[in-house]
Amino acid sequence: MKYVSEFRDPAAAQGVLSAIARAADAIGATRGNPVHIMEICGGHTHAIFRYGLDRMVHDGIEFIHGPGCPVCVLPMRRVDECIQIARHPRVILTTFGDAMRVPGTRTSLMQAKAEGCDIRVVYSPLDAVELARRNPTRDVVFFGLGFETTTPSTALSIQQAARDGLTNFSVFCNHITVPPPIKALLDDPHMELDGFVGPGHVSMVIGIHPYDFIARDYGKPLVVAGFEPLDILQSVLMVLDQICDGRAEIENQYARVVPEHGNKVSLAAIDDVYETRPSFEWRGLGEIDASGLRIRSKYAAFDAEEKFGIGYATAREPQAEAEGCACGAVMTGRIKPPQCPQFGKGCTPEMPLGALMVSSEGACAAYWQFGRARITEPAA
Ligand code: SF4
């Protein structure tokens, strides 16, 4: 396991944990603990719990689980609109598997499929393009969602369909971007954040400079991190070292994968196909300025919003969550998943009430999967 085992080496981890403990003690001696570190990406949340890092680090470190799971932040209204598209008799709706069980207002894509809608799971948007090619009498729609990690592949599928002259392929675009919600969280006076572990996959596409405002305008450190245990521990230590030194910088622990200026080919595809929406709704967070992408008018023929008359009204009233669901509070770090009254009762991976329990990157799914139900009692 060359190149993986090195990042899981227990002796090396012990050394980093000791350094983290010294830094946390030093910070605690001057300003008190805990130090609140938000891991933005759901992949990091799962890695933290899979390897038990939250229990290994010094008690003075508290991980806050950020909104970096794209399925979790998908608003119910957009799920409803996607089902509305799927109900058209000519439509084959294609989606990544993660989105199938995300609850809309009344139902999910899984339930819509059970009721007869032609909904198919694909592994790439290019599979959807191929499906359109093979089914010229049907309208194939791809449910495009995700952060900058998946945005380029959807863009490439639209460019491919345009080159092929396909008229029966379109994308229901729900792509979102990471920096705006970080700004929204930093602007929230109730949030206590001392630093960030930054997303690895997103940064592979956008590079590290879109986060510059976090250090420059808010004085908080951010370290872009990989996904192995030592990656995350080292990144936490780098955040703590900055706090100890009185620095606030954007650093790149994951330089073996993340280029400083991102991936030029992916960024060019994004720029060609999308433009920024004035605002977009995030489940649990409400409307956030300039946080979503829509398809440019030159590709309007591939825009399912245009084709099926869906549209997106800006400044929509935030939609209330399902009764008893505390996803918004979890996503903003106000409570931990087991403190949601529904955790393990009205909400389990088999019968999810909120999206955080559905997705493979959701914080509630991480707590459930890796045993937090056994070590933390739900709130009364
Ligand atoms: S347990 Fe379920 S309802 Fe509660 S916050 Fe998590 S996903 Fe939402």
Side-chain angles (χ1 to χ4, degrees):
M1 294 276 291
K2 199 179 176 198
Y3 302 131
V4 174
S5 54
E6 294 91 330
F7 293 96
R8 298 177 184 177
D9 178 56
Q14 200 50 59
V16 182
L17 284 165
S18 299
I20 286 174
R22 284 193 296 277
D25 280 337
I27 294 168
T30 57
R31 45 142 273 186
N33 281 327
V35 181
H36 297 100
I37 298 180
M38 174 175 276
E39 84 280 4
I40 297 161
C41 170
H44 283 143
T45 305
H46 273 249
I48 286 167
F49 291 117
R50 179 180 300 116
Y51 298 111
L53 305 183
D54 59 319
R55 283 176 284 174
M56 290 180 200
V57 295
H58 186 280
D59 285 348
I61 310 295
E62 183 178 351
F63 287 109
I64 309 286
H65 318 308
C69 159
V71 171
C72 303
V73 297
L74 185 67
M76 286 187 284
R77 215 165 351 214
R78 293 300 273 184
V79 177
D80 295 346
E81 288 164 350
C82 192
I83 292 169
Q84 189 184 324
I85 292 172
R87 291 198 199 284
H88 284 257
R90 272 171 54 96
V91 164
I92 301 173
L93 186 92
T94 58
T95 176
F96 293 136
D98 257 14
M100 285 296 281
R101 290 188 305 125
V102 177
T105 309
R106 284 182 301 281
T107 186
S108 65
L109 287 174
M110 182 80 92
Q111 287 162 315
K113 182 178 171 68
E115 288 162 11
C117 293
D118 191 346
I119 299 174
R120 307 185 194 183
V121 171
V122 291
Y123 295 99
S124 152
L126 287 173
D127 294 345
V129 174
E130 179 59 24
L131 200 60
R133 216 177 273 129
R134 288 194 199 157
N135 293 273
T137 61
R138 305 288 299 278
D139 261 319
V140 176
V141 181
F142 177 68
F143 189 12
L145 56 91
F147 292 108
E148 292 92 334
T149 324
T150 53
T151 303
S153 62
T154 307
L156 292 174
S157 74
I158 290 174
Q159 290 174 326
Q160 183 67 50
R163 275 195 297 275
D164 293 353
L166 289 178
T167 57
N168 65 331
F169 172 78
S170 61
V171 170
F172 183 47
C173 184
N174 294 273
H175 284 294
I176 46 181
T177 55
V178 162
I182 302 177
K183 180 176 184 319
L185 290 170
L186 285 165
D187 285 336
D188 182 342
H190 303 297
M191 292 297 299
E192 287 182 56
L193 295 172
D194 298 302
F196 295 90
V197 170
H201 297 141
V202 163
S203 307
M204 199 169 67
V205 173
I206 65 174
I208 65 169
H209 291 297
Y211 310 115
D212 284 348
F213 72 95
I214 297 168
R216 185 189 61 233
D217 301 339
Y218 295 90
K220 308 287 182 192
L222 180 145
V223 178
V224 172
F227 293 87
E228 292 298 325
L230 272 167
D231 285 323
I232 296 171
L233 291 177
Q234 187 185 17
S235 301
V236 169
L237 179 58
M238 290 166 75
V239 169
L240 296 178
D241 281 345
Q242 288 200 40
I243 295 171
C244 285
D245 297 347
R247 290 182 290 124
E249 296 170 9
I250 308 304
E251 295 183 313
N252 186 6
Q253 183 276 339
Y254 204 24
R256 66 185 187 279
V257 169
V258 174
E260 181 184 347
H261 297 286
N263 181 312
K264 286 187 180 145
V265 175
S266 296
L267 290 171
I270 290 173
D271 187 49
D272 178 49
V273 171
Y274 309 101
E275 61 190 7
T276 305
R277 296 180 193 266
S279 73
F280 197 69
E281 183 185 352
W282 293 55
R283 190 184 293 224
L285 301 176
E287 289 278 333
I288 299 179
D289 288 349
S291 64
L293 300 175
R294 66 184 173 206
I295 295 167
R296 286 189 188 278
S297 57
K298 71 173 178 173
Y299 290 111
F302 304 96
D303 185 350
E305 285 184 14
E306 293 279 335
K307 208 169 195 174
F308 297 94
I310 298 290
Y312 187 92
T314 52
R316 313 203 276 192
E317 281 298 310
Q319 221 175 355
E321 294 178 33
E323 199 178 332
C325 171
C327 289
V330 171
M331 264 187 296
T332 49
R334 292 197 295 276
I335 64 169
K336 295 283 189 264
Q339 292 172 294
C340 171
Q342 296 291 345
F343 184 84
K345 296 175 180 170
C347 186
T348 63
E350 292 73 33
M351 292 289 287
L353 184 64
L356 300 180
M357 192 60 97
V358 178
S359 166
S360 58
E361 293 192 352
C364 296
Y367 272 74
W368 183 265
Q369 190 177 348
F370 300 111
R372 291 312 179 273
R374 292 191 295 276
I375 63 168
T376 314
E377 287 298 315

